[in-house]
Structure formats: structure tokens, C-alpha cells
Amino acid sequence: MNIPLLHPKTSTPHHSQLFLTQIRTCQSMQELKQVHAFLIKTAQNHEPVVATELLRHSATSDFRDIDYALSLFDEMPEPDCFAWNTLIRALAETHDRPLHALLFFCNMVSDGMVEPNRFTFPSVLKACSVLTRLEEGKQVHGLVVKFGFSGDEFVVSNLLRMYVMCGNMEDSHVLFRRSFDGVDYMNKVMRDKRREEGIVVLCNVMVDGYVRVGNLTAARELFDRMHKRSVVSWNAMISGYAQNGYFLEAIELFHRMQMEDLLPNRVTLVSVLPAISRLGAIEMGKWVHLYAERNKIKIDDALGSALVDMYAKCGSIGKAVQVFESLPKSNVITWNAILGGLAMHGKAKDVFDFFARMERSGISPSDVTYIAILSACSHAGLVDKGRSYFNHMVNVGFVPRIEHYGCMVDLLGRAGYLEEAKELILNMPIKSDDVIWKALLGACKVHKNVEIGRRAAEVLMQLAPHDSGAYVAISNIYASSGDWDAVAEVRLMMKDLDIRKDPGCSWIEIDGVIHEFLVEDDSHPSAKEIHSMLEEISNKLNFEGYRPNTTQVLLKMDETHKESVLHYHSEKIAVAFGLISTTPKTPLQIVKNLRICEDCHSSMKLISKIYNRKITIRDRKRFHHFEHGSCSCMDYW
């Protein structure tokens, strides 16, 4: 960088402007330091305007160096409020320095030479938010009042955000009502556009706060009462529903947002895609993808990974791979998305190949990467391979999480190594949770091991006494062994504790509309036609020589009643609806909340052959692609 040789003995406006221009055109810290050195040489480094600009650039530019900025600040004889604010803001926005921002603010207040202004407090409050330091935040609140900024909308919005981020919704609500008298006031009078926008910001903060603490009812009530909503308002509510399992509500709100002529942005798409993924609504997912492309929304790592995950979870693993190949692939999150998708589809070989590609490209795996690999091994029954990858993960420095142990227990249990799976749980260095014991209990059900199953169920009942999973699983194990007295005892216990079994539920998307079916569901408008199709399916299955596997009905009843129960499992109802709602040879895609039972699995293979349909079912564990009378899982699930 060429610095003109200036030798002024006194500063002039012309010289100051020249120095400011040189500082602002710097593209690296090296160039900035050269300018600084020249300023020292020419005795201009203490010129207030020049020194402040030098500080600002070193603290907030893309190539910032906070420590260098601090050294510049220490050289300033009388730093003004702007200088203090610049450092506080820079420290608050640096991931490992928010605490330093608070300490720096304390120095400012104790120094007493400069009073904080309306631009000081937002950065200080942000530091409190990041650190979730509620007590310090309350002390800053006191200073806000002391210095007369309790009516400043900019300060108040950050103050409100601090209480929200610290999880204190009670004080957030009080501050919200006191500052702007809430939404009722907002609906009565709008002084000007700036005031209106300020209230929208406050409402958005409160909606986000209610979502964070899981109070979706309060969030939606406030959202519905807002006179005006921004894209941020919609994003907060949509992501809140999606993150808390209210997938249909998230998608319905997404539809409503479009009807109100508000254009979704990148955050909207990233927020709604998980809900689309969970419900298997591929047509809607395709629309989101097309919308992003047509509106020139950059498909970055976050959006790209969400699209890969969506296509994979909606059954289109080929499209997921296609999207993945179009991405930069410079982030481990993107690789994890495709590895997880391939694992869910039972494509273990592809998982290993992509993992090798990932290593060759120089991307370091994360612990999530190994969850996908171990899951692939589990679905394929590759016990030795799974053990090898688990040991490799430990050898490269990862400490196994509960999810890794869960994958290993699932892998060993499915393959029949129940004793080894149990010992792994008992000897692992971290505390076991209900998920890992459920994996063992599920394996005991498959292999009809009453002894280990009973032990797993007892532990589960202690860990999650009101979760129906343990009671239902051990009841099923007893029933499969013909111990109806034990079954009755477990069911009586469930009745006494008011524990109810989670009902089987399946979803199918037809023409962009998601249809939900429960076991023995007759509430659908097309219930009569669905029932007729179920009868037709049953007759055709019988003609093919198929007999229902009534051992899957773990209730003490006659065979005819058992066959009737199997007849109305939710995935069969969804398939029947799909058959009557689509043209011949149209593929059907269904999502189920529970693991598919053996009878439904066997039935689907034959249905795919009889009706010449490709039927894809994603159950709680994995994908099953039924075609020409066989399943992609090769009957290992």
C-alpha cells in the first residue's frame, strides 16, 4: 500500500480527510497497521477524528483485530462515548468476548469521564443476553432508568430481548405492557410509521420469547392480535411450531403467510422445511425449492442442507443426492445431511462411499457424522463394521455421546447380541437415558427375550414413569409368549397410572394436501370409499394366498377380531386412500409415527405387486421402499 509522504506540523481538515480516506480503503490489518505507523510518524495518531476512525475500523471491519483495537483505545488520552461504544459493541459481537464487553462497560461507568448514551446500552444488553446473565441484565436495566433511557424504543427493545433470552418471560411481559401498553394500545393508535415498526419489533421479541419457553398458545395469541406483522413475526411462529412438533400448524401458517401477500425469505424456508420433512410433504418441498430458485434466494449451507434433508425424508433420496452435488460441500453440516439421508434409506454402501469422499475433500467429520454412519450399519446389520467405526471415532478423539451408544445398542440388539447390548449400556461412562433402554427393549421384542426385556422395562418405568412405550413393549413381549396374566397386570398398571398408548398415525400428501389417518379412522370425508378399497385390498390379498399375521395383535381376542384390527392400521388406510385418489401406477409415499408392524410390512409387499405401485413408507426408524412384491430393507428392520 503506498502512503503519500506528508509532514504537517499541525493538522488541517484536508489532511484529516486524507487520513480518513486511507483508513477506510484498507483491506487488511496489515494495511491498517501501515496507516497507523504513518500516523505515529507524522504525529497525527492522537487527532481525535482520525484516532476514532482507526479504532472503529480495527474493531468492526471484516478483518477486525479486537486486541489491536484495545491497544488503540489505551493510547487515546480522552476517549469519547463513541470510542467506548465501539469497543463494547465489538466485544459483545465477538463469540468469546461478551464477558469482556460487560467488564469494559463497568470500566466506563466507574471511570465517570463519559456517560453512556442510547447507543451504549443495546450492546451491553446483547452481551447479557448471550451470556444469559439475568442479574447483570437487571443491574443494567437500573442504569437505563438512571440515565433516562427507559422511554427509548431502541434501548427498550434490547432490554426486552435480554429478559426473553434469559428465559424471564414474567418480567418481559411486565416490561412489554409498561413500555407500550402492549398490543391493545398498538391497535388503538399509531402515531407514525417509526412507532408502528417499533411496536412490531417488540411484539416479535415477545413471540420469540414465548416460543423459546414452549408457550406456543401465548405466542399465537399475541401473533394473532398484532395489527401489523413483519416477515420476522411469521418466521418466529412458523419455526416455533416446527421445532415443537406442531408440523401441520407450521405448514398451515406458511400457507396463510403466502395468502397475505407477504414474501417468504431464506429464514422462512429454512424454518418450514423441517415440518415439510417430518410430514413427507414432497410436493410442498418441491415448491419451496422452486421458490428459492425463482426468487434468487441464495441456497447456502443452511438452506441447502435443509433441502437435502427434506428430499431424503420425503423419500426422494435421488433428488437429495442431486441437490447435494450442486452445493459447495465446504461444510460438514451439508455432508451430514446427505449421510443421514442415505442411512435412513438403508444405503449403507453409499454412506461409506460418501464418507470416504468427505475425508478426501478435506472436511473433518463431526460427532453427528458418526451417528449417521453407525445408523447405516444398524439398518444393514453390519455389526463388525459398526464396531470398527465406533472404535475409529474414539481413536480420532471424539468422546461418544448417548446417541452413539444408542446406535450401537440398536445395532447389537437388532442382530441378536442382546447380552452385549445390555452390558454396553451398563458399562458406558455416561448416564443412560430412556431412548437407549427403549432400543434394547425393542430388540428384546423382536427376539422375544422376556428376561432382558423385563429388566429394560423396569428401568424405563423408573426413568419415564408416564411414557407408554415401556408398558406397551413389555406387554407385547408377554403377549407374544402367551403370558396373558402378565399382560393383564401391565395393562391394569397403565390404567391405574392413566397411561395411554400412543395411537398409530400415518400421513399421505395428495395434490399438495396432507391427509392424516389414525388406527381404525373413519373420520375422513372419503371414509366410505376408503373402507370399500380396504375390502378390495383384503380380498385380493386373500386371493394371492396371504393370511394376516395375527401374532402382531397382542390382545386376547378371537382370530376374526384380530384380523379386523390388522385391517385398519393407519398405514393401510393411508394406502387405500392413495389408491382411490391417484391414477394407476402413481407412486405412494406415506409417513408413519411408529415402527411398521410385520403384518403391514408383509401386506405392503404384496399390495405393491398387485396394484403395480411403488409404495414408500417412512416409519419411526427408516424408509421402506416396496416395489414388485419386495422391500428395500430386505426384511431386516
Side-chain angles (χ1 to χ4, degrees), residues 541 544 585-588 601-616 624-632 634-635:
L541 287 174
E544 291 286 329
K585 297 186 178 180
T586 302
L588 302 178
H601 190 271
S602 299
S603 298
M604 291 301 167
K605 289 192 292 184
L606 270 178
I607 293 170
S608 71
K609 178 183 177 182
I610 294 169
Y611 290 91
N612 193 21
R613 300 277 192 128
K614 181 178 180 181
I615 301 172
T616 301
H624 298 269
H625 297 276
F626 301 97
E627 193 170 14
H628 307 308
S630 63
C631 180
S632 60
M634 306 298 289
D635 296 337

Side-chain angles (χ1 to χ4, degrees), residues 222-237:
L222 178 56
F223 176 86
D224 288 338
R225 289 166 56 204
M226 290 175 69
H227 177 74
K228 181 180 178 181
R229 305 180 191 91
S230 65
V231 175
V232 176
S233 316
W234 291 90
N235 291 349
M237 204 65 240

Side-chain angles (χ1 to χ4, degrees), residues 419 422 425-426 432 437 440-441 444 449-463 470 474 477-478:
E419 194 64 42
K422 183 189 74 173
I425 296 175
L426 295 176
S432 60
W437 283 102
L440 179 60
L441 185 55
C444 291
N449 190 311
V450 177
E451 183 182 349
I452 297 179
R454 184 188 294 115
R455 167 61 179 152
E458 289 172 353
V459 175
L460 267 173
M461 290 173 190
Q462 293 176 354
L463 290 173
I474 192 62
I477 292 173
Y478 287 142

Side-chain angles (χ1 to χ4, degrees), residues 544-585:
E544 291 286 329
Y546 179 77
R547 293 293 175 268
N549 183 359
T550 56
T551 61
Q552 296 298 294
V553 181
L554 303 170
L555 296 170
K556 195 172 184 180
M557 59 178 65
D558 60 56
E559 289 298 305
T560 302
H561 196 180
K562 285 184 178 183
E563 289 183 12
S564 177
V565 170
L566 290 172
H567 197 54
Y568 290 99
H569 276 192
S570 64
E571 58 268 54
K572 287 181 179 175
I573 300 175
V575 165
F577 178 68
L579 290 173
I580 65 173
S581 304
T582 58
T583 56
K585 297 186 178 180

Side-chain angles (χ1 to χ4, degrees), residues 247 273-282 309-316 340-341 344-345 379 505-507 570-571 588-596 604 615-626 637:
F247 308 120
L273 278 170
I276 292 172
S277 301
R278 289 299 295 267
L279 296 178
I282 191 166
D309 182 69
M310 180 276 295
Y311 279 116
K313 287 181 177 174
C314 287
S316 185
M344 186 180 291
H345 283 266
H379 291 319
C505 182
S506 294
W507 297 270
S570 64
E571 58 268 54
L588 302 178
Q589 294 196 167
I590 294 150
V591 175
K592 181 177 171 64
N593 66 330
L594 303 176
R595 182 178 180 271
I596 188 172
M604 291 301 167
I615 301 172
T616 301
I617 296 181
R618 190 188 86 206
D619 69 7
R620 188 174 60 187
K621 285 288 187 180
R622 60 165 298 158
F623 271 93
H624 298 269
H625 297 276
F626 301 97
W637 86 101

